[in-house]
Amino acid sequence: MPLVRHNAGWVILASFVLAFLLTTIPLPGWSADWRPAWVVMMVIYWCIVLPERVGVAIAWILGLLLDVYTGSLLGQNALGLSVIAYLTLRLHKQIRIFPPLQQSVLICIYLLLFQFFTLWIRGIIGVPPQHWTFWAPVLSSMFLWPIFFMLMRSVRRKFNVY
């Protein structure tokens, strides 16, 4: 069996670190609710383009790290991210051929599902959302997806990540 040498794995790691930093960077009060779901978008991106390297286990670990990092209930983001990663892996070949606007619609559906998991778990522990802006990250991520996808694709090509 030939050895498969993966190139520039540090780029994937650095992209997840950047997503975590963007998740906690302070924003002005009016825009804090509209922060895109950076970690979820990064998991979706890497599951689409490199499904053999980023999968459900990586999404679960990142979700647990995100739970600790943001102070949410342990397992809340891990459950949502692993389900999103599973769905993305199942459909990654179809998603790859979609134009960016169609991908944005699918990202919206995935993020709605992620937010529903969050809402469900918060409802179980008795902490419902206080405002409609709970759903704002879905919209901001959906509108940002085409730019995000093109930027990440250029980074992946520049560093020859495969």
Side-chain angles (χ1 to χ4, degrees), residues 5-62:
R5 184 170 169 251
H6 293 294
N7 197 15
W10 65 270
V11 174
I12 298 171
L13 181 63
S15 69
F16 284 125
V17 169
L18 179 64
F20 274 92
L21 291 175
L22 289 171
T23 299
T24 57
I25 200 166
L27 294 176
W30 62 270
S31 66
D33 292 332
W34 292 89
R35 178 189 314 270
W38 294 110
V39 176
V40 180
M41 288 175 28
M42 199 66 74
V43 166
I44 292 171
Y45 174 79
W46 287 116
C47 284
I48 290 171
V49 299
L50 291 173
E52 64 279 354
R53 291 185 72 180
V54 177
V56 176
I58 299 292
W60 179 262
I61 292 167
L62 289 170

Side-chain angles (χ1 to χ4, degrees), residues 52-127:
E52 64 279 354
R53 291 185 72 180
V54 177
V56 176
I58 299 292
W60 179 262
I61 292 167
L62 289 170
L64 288 176
L65 289 173
L66 187 61
D67 289 331
V68 171
Y69 199 60
T70 59
S72 58
L73 184 67
L74 193 63
Q76 171 182 323
N77 291 313
L79 174 65
L81 274 177
S82 60
V83 169
I84 297 303
Y86 174 76
L87 292 173
T88 305
L89 290 170
R90 295 281 297 170
L91 300 172
H92 78 277
K93 290 181 182 175
Q94 291 88 355
I95 298 170
R96 286 175 114 170
I97 62 172
F98 288 166
L101 293 178
Q102 254 183 329
Q103 285 181 0
S104 290
V105 172
L106 189 62
I107 296 307
C108 179
I109 293 168
Y110 282 170
L111 286 166
L112 280 172
L113 182 63
F114 182 80
Q115 288 294 82
F116 274 123
F117 275 113
T118 303
L119 181 66
W120 175 55
I121 292 171
R122 288 178 67 168
I124 288 173
I125 63 171
V127 185

